[in-house]
Amino acid sequence: MNWSFAASPLIGVIALLVFGVSAYLSFLNWQRNGKRPSVARLEMLRLVLIALLGFTLFRPEIVQVVRSKETPQVAILVDRSGSMETRDVQSATNLESRSQWIDTQLSNQFWKPLVGRTKVLVEDFGVPPTNSPLSTNASARTPVGTDLNAALETPLRRDANLQAILLLTDGDWNTGRTPLGAAAQYRERGVPVFAVGVGSEVPLPDLILEAVSPPSYGLFGEQITIPFTIRSHLTNEVKTTMILNDGTKEEVKKEVVIPAKGQLQDTILWYPHAVGDAALTLRLPVQPGETVAENNEQTFHVSVRVEKIQVLVVDSQPRWEYRYLRNALARDPGVEVHSILYHPGMKTGGGRNYLAAFPNSREAISKYDVIFLGDVGIGEGELSEADGELIRGLVEQQSSGLIFLPGRRGRELTFKNGALKDLLPVVFDEAKPNGQSLQNEAVLTLTTAGKGHFLTRFEADEDLNSKVWQALPGFFWSAAVEKARPGSEVLAVHSSLRNASGRIPLLATRSAGTGKVLFMGTDSAWRWRRGVEDKYHYRFWSQVVRWMAHSRHLSEKEGIRLAYSPERPEPGDTIFLQSTVLDPAGFPADEGPVSGSISAPSGRAEHVQFSAVEGGWGVFKTQFKPSESGKYKILIEAPKQGRKLETELLVQQHTIEEKGRPINRGILAEISGLTGGSASLVDGLKEIVQKISVTPEPRALEKRIRIWSSPWWGALLLSLLSIYWVGRKIGGMM
């Protein structure tokens, strides 16, 4: 046992001077008080306190050197995560997976040169979960990634006599903290970490079906668009056929061209044959020269339903845009459209599916999934402020969609100070209330966001899609817009006009509460029919109404509806549930209780209570966080209104352990370099073992007792100080 001090000579000199001055002052004080023994004892106690405080300034520590009598240990940490199944290690006869190579080396006991002078421990980390369908253990359904930091910290905490660490891994750490933190601890302990990067440093020749992003539900009788992404690590361009199988004899095929060492984003269309839950498999045929076939296929689920999207179109004049829009929606088998036409100075228009007045109550307007507001505003003979409040509540609280489609009357300016002002995606130029007219034809130019957006997708290929938009018949009039409001997403801009804020936004969206809002700044989309009839005009508005109504129909039953976000959650995500409840008369429920029961795939049940959202729209919200992947069964009950809804929510597991990725040799080199070890590839394993065999034995561990920061030392000083001041009080020295 030794003592250790950490103080500069200057502090020592200052401490001695302070002690000397204190001793002199104590002597004078003893003399002034008649040289009484009690005073002498108190002054001696004060000098002891000063000496102890000065001793503390030297930061004293008791150092104990502990030498282990056990055999030094070498820990071999073996990565068993999913990425280790990548087949990219060249053996003597063929190509084998990283795990197979490790198993071969372990069976050959490559560590034999270390036996005798060290004790060898072999430990696995990143073990994949059990995929047995009989497993009810939630943790078994939770994916295990590669946590290099935790793998390194485990032997460091457990074994006091570590001589070295050997890592057999691809270095693909994707969970936990950076392993450099554990490496710093090894450096402090003087334990080197050696690493062998198992796998290839370059991507395998491979095609990877990286992502498939289907909607959670689709409508029966209508095509369902399924986007997918393919990444190529092949040096040649590949022409192949994607195959979508829905479990029937029929298969959907689509020819694709995958660029060499590039990425392809495309979509495939599927027509459902029956109502219900459909399990689909999208497959990319294995190409010659591919080394991994398992990542060419993905299976997913889509719920097929029969729904009618309820649309309300409100305008003030039977302009061309209104006529063709209404006709397109009326021909759509998945849409039921109603119209209100305010004629200036006349009574409202009439006819089939025309309304005589705007739905002026919550129960009347709640049926509509999407509302179009054309060249109409707030004022006499048009909408009222109360109508604006109803529209806002419908969008923000009941997840409906709202589309602003202004015209040459400029009536949209009346919304800027009313209930709908916060829903507008753009700021209008009030100096031009009747919009902007041009002599030359202009077109809508897609922005970066618009090129890949569902609403503007006429062709799967983004470049080809942009060319289609450039070729569409243009317009000679547009609404006068200054700029997009913060939080809006601009999908298309004016091809020729700009101002101080940049290009004029004419197609923009924004979220409002739980709903969506779209602004279309030209009334000439009907001209897209020139030469192609409904090809683009019909498709655009069909995509718009389905995109806006999507979240309202995630799950519903008479009198009760459930929406949730995100739509395709993963374990660990917070899922927000919103239930809309109507009473038996069809009015929004004004009070609860509304409760829910959520059953996980493992059978574990969780009960949640919905809280009412202010506004009187019968909306109740709650949230929960899934801990495992699979189908969750959700039961929602509103007993007072007699409503009950049962549905399922699919929580999909994101694959964090990707096969085919090259090894991360950089992190292995950093870890080994920081700790004084070394790193190599598989052909350097013998050399690594040789280096481990000549590493020095573990350093003796030092245990330091920091007296200067010990709470017991502080308690001692405080106790002596208390005794001193009490003694002065008793002795009448205060």
Side-chain angles (χ1 to χ4, degrees):
M1 183 177 68
N2 300 313
W3 285 87
S4 173
F5 300 93
S8 64
L10 178 62
I11 292 196
V13 172
I14 294 174
L16 289 175
L17 288 175
V18 171
F19 183 79
V21 172
S22 299
Y24 177 71
L25 294 175
S26 295
F27 176 75
L28 294 179
N29 192 40
W30 174 62
Q31 284 187 330
R32 282 197 303 269
N33 285 277
K35 299 182 178 182
R36 290 185 294 169
S38 59
V39 176
R41 287 192 291 271
L42 284 174
E43 294 303 323
M44 289 296 295
L45 179 58
R46 178 160 67 173
L47 287 177
V48 169
L49 274 168
I50 293 173
L52 292 177
L53 287 172
F55 180 70
T56 304
L57 292 176
F58 285 85
R59 300 175 69 179
E61 297 179 359
I62 298 176
V63 182
Q64 293 179 327
V65 179
V66 181
R67 298 187 181 277
S68 177
K69 297 180 180 179
E70 298 180 356
T71 304
Q73 296 178 350
V74 174
I76 301 175
L77 305 181
V78 180
D79 188 349
R80 295 295 188 183
S81 59
S83 62
M84 299 300 289
E85 296 305 314
T86 301
R87 198 166 56 250
D88 62 349
V89 181
Q90 183 66 54
S91 65
T93 57
N94 60 355
L95 202 64
E96 60 184 7
S97 71
R98 300 168 184 177
S99 291
Q100 288 173 336
W101 181 87
I102 290 177
D103 290 338
T104 300
Q105 305 308 313
L106 293 178
S107 62
N108 293 335
Q109 297 186 352
F110 69 89
W111 63 84
K112 283 183 179 179
L114 306 177
V115 176
R117 58 187 300 266
T118 60
K119 180 182 179 182
V120 179
L121 302 175
V122 180
E123 300 179 0
D124 295 340
F125 67 93
V127 180
T130 302
N131 292 323
S132 170
L134 300 178
S135 173
T136 57
N137 185 1
S139 63
R141 296 170 179 263
T142 303
V144 177
T146 308
D147 190 345
L148 276 181
N149 186 73
L152 288 169
E153 284 185 341
T154 299
L156 193 65
R157 289 194 302 262
R158 183 192 62 218
D159 303 325
N161 201 29
L162 274 176
Q163 181 174 329
I165 292 288
L166 174 58
L167 269 174
L168 299 179
T169 178
D170 56 10
D172 184 26
W173 68 279
N174 42 47
T175 60
R177 296 175 296 175
T178 170
L180 296 180
Q185 299 179 51
Y186 275 94
R187 180 178 182 178
E188 186 178 346
R189 281 269 297 268
V191 179
V193 177
F194 298 85
V196 175
V198 184
S200 173
E201 290 187 274
V202 295
L204 291 169
D206 191 26
L207 290 177
I208 305 172
L209 181 57
E210 282 194 333
V212 181
S213 307
S216 60
Y217 77 91
L219 301 181
F220 178 70
E222 298 186 9
Q223 66 181 20
I224 298 175
T225 303
I226 303 173
F228 60 87
T229 303
I230 300 173
R231 182 170 296 278
S232 172
H233 293 301
L234 299 179
T235 56
N236 59 294
E237 182 181 85
V238 175
K239 295 182 179 180
T240 186
T241 303
M242 299 296 297
I243 301 173
L244 180 66
N245 195 317
D246 60 0
T248 65
K249 293 182 180 180
E250 294 185 23
E251 293 180 336
V252 180
K253 298 182 179 181
K254 179 171 185 177
E255 294 184 358
V256 294
V257 178
I258 307 169
K261 291 187 175 294
Q263 179 177 287
L264 171 69
Q265 290 183 325
D266 207 335
T267 60
I268 190 168
L269 301 179
W270 174 62
Y271 291 87
H273 300 287
V275 175
D277 186 53
L280 308 177
T281 300
L282 185 62
R283 180 164 55 87
L284 172 64
V286 179
Q287 301 299 309
E290 274 198 83
T291 53
V292 180
E294 302 89 81
N295 54 19
N296 286 37
E297 183 178 295
Q298 286 197 31
T299 299
F300 51 94
H301 293 263
V302 175
S303 176
V304 181
R305 306 177 191 161
V306 177
E307 301 282 359
K308 276 280 189 180
I309 299 175
Q310 301 292 325
V311 176
L312 176 62
V313 181
V314 184
D315 214 325
S316 60
Q317 289 181 337
R319 50 184 178 153
W320 289 111
E321 186 63 42
Y322 167 79
R323 294 178 182 181
Y324 281 105
L325 169 65
R326 186 180 182 281
N327 289 339
L329 295 175
R331 292 196 305 271
D332 192 327
V335 173
E336 183 176 342
V337 60
H338 293 91
S339 302
I340 302 175
L341 195 59
Y342 294 105
H343 289 288
M346 303 171 60
K347 66 178 183 178
T348 57
R352 184 168 175 238
N353 290 333
Y354 274 81
L355 302 181
F358 188 85
N360 58 1
S361 65
R362 290 191 180 98
E363 60 273 18
I365 200 174
S366 291
K367 63 179 287 187
Y368 292 106
D369 301 304
V370 181
I371 294 180
F372 284 80
L373 291 183
D375 195 2
V376 66
I378 304 294
E380 185 177 355
E382 295 181 274
L383 298 174
S384 66
E385 288 290 351
D387 295 335
E389 293 286 353
L390 286 174
I391 295 173
R392 177 171 181 166
L394 182 70
V395 175
E396 292 184 337
Q397 297 206 35
Q398 294 211 350
S399 307
S400 291
L402 175 63
I403 300 168
F404 290 100
L405 196 58
R408 299 170 191 257
R409 296 178 64 226
R411 296 299 293 158
E412 67 276 1
L413 293 179
T414 61
F415 296 136
K416 66 183 182 67
N417 295 319
L420 301 179
K421 64 177 181 179
D422 294 332
L423 274 63
L424 287 165
V426 297
V427 176
F428 293 112
D429 184 355
E430 298 183 33
K432 302 175 182 177
N434 299 118
Q436 180 75 46
S437 297
L438 295 174
Q439 291 185 348
N440 297 322
E441 186 179 36
V443 296
L444 292 171
T445 301
L446 295 182
T447 63
T448 301
K451 289 179 180 179
H453 203 282
F454 173 76
L455 295 187
T456 57
R457 184 65 64 89
F458 292 145
E459 296 289 344
D461 182 82
E462 288 189 5
D463 292 334
L464 183 58
N465 190 57
S466 296
K467 292 178 181 178
V468 170
W469 276 85
Q470 289 294 323
L472 289 175
F475 53 88
F476 295 90
W477 176 91
S478 63
V481 178
E482 282 190 359
K483 59 183 179 180
R485 290 184 57 213
S488 298
E489 183 178 31
V490 179
L491 304 183
V493 295
H494 201 294
S495 61
S496 58
L497 293 183
R498 62 170 57 239
N499 56 22
S501 300
R503 303 286 288 273
I504 304 297
L506 292 183
L507 186 63
T509 68
R510 72 180 289 111
S511 296
T514 59
K516 301 182 182 74
V517 182
L518 174 72
F519 170 79
M520 178 70 154
T522 174
D523 65 350
S524 300
W526 62 273
R527 301 185 74 240
W528 299 348
R529 303 179 72 258
R530 188 176 66 192
V532 293
E533 297 299 332
D534 283 338
K535 184 175 181 179
Y536 298 123
H537 181 261
Y538 175 89
R539 180 171 176 179
F540 175 75
W541 291 120
S542 175
Q543 290 176 173
V544 166
V545 296
R546 281 160 176 77
W547 178 70
M548 289 193 148
H550 183 77
S551 60
R552 274 182 49 108
H553 295 282
L554 287 174
S555 182
E556 61 184 339
K557 194 177 179 180
E558 184 180 359
I560 186 169
R561 184 169 60 244
L562 176 68
Y564 47 84
S565 177
E567 187 176 330
R568 288 194 171 272
E570 298 176 1
D573 290 346
T574 298
I575 302 177
F576 298 92
L577 304 178
Q578 174 178 299
S579 180
T580 302
V581 182
L582 305 179
D583 64 17
F587 292 87
D590 54 1
E591 61 181 7
V594 177
S595 59
S597 175
I598 303 172
S599 299
S602 61
R604 182 177 55 86
E606 176 183 355
H607 294 278
V608 294
Q609 196 70 30
F610 287 75
S611 57
V613 177
E614 294 182 1
W617 286 89
V619 179
F620 300 81
K621 289 186 177 182
T622 190
Q623 64 186 54
F624 82 102
K625 184 177 292 187
S627 59
E628 54 187 282
S629 59
K631 283 186 178 180
Y632 282 72
K633 295 182 179 179
I634 301 178
L635 171 64
I636 302 175
E637 294 182 289
K640 190 171 182 180
Q641 289 78 25
R643 304 299 189 185
K644 184 177 181 180
L645 174 64
E646 295 184 54
T647 188
E648 291 183 342
L649 172 61
L650 180 63
V651 177
Q652 293 186 325
Q653 182 55 62
H654 175 65
T655 303
I656 59 177
E657 286 293 329
E658 297 182 11
K659 298 178 184 178
R661 294 182 61 177
I663 66 171
N664 187 355
R665 191 177 182 182
I667 191 67
L668 300 180
E670 284 190 74
I671 294 171
S672 57
L674 187 62
T675 60
S678 63
S680 75
L681 298 178
V682 293
D683 53 2
L685 178 59
K686 288 185 179 180
E687 183 182 348
I688 290 290
V689 173
Q690 180 62 31
K691 290 181 179 180
I692 295 175
S693 66
V694 297
T695 55
E697 291 190 1
R699 293 188 319 207
L701 294 179
E702 288 185 351
K703 290 186 177 180
R704 291 180 172 265
I705 303 175
R706 292 179 170 85
I707 294 177
W708 58 275
S709 62
S710 171
W712 297 104
W713 181 257
L716 173 63
L717 294 179
L718 183 61
S719 300
L720 292 176
L721 187 62
S722 301
I723 293 172
Y724 172 74
W725 284 106
V726 170
R728 285 177 61 88
K729 183 71 174 178
I730 294 175
M733 298 173 64
M734 295 182 66

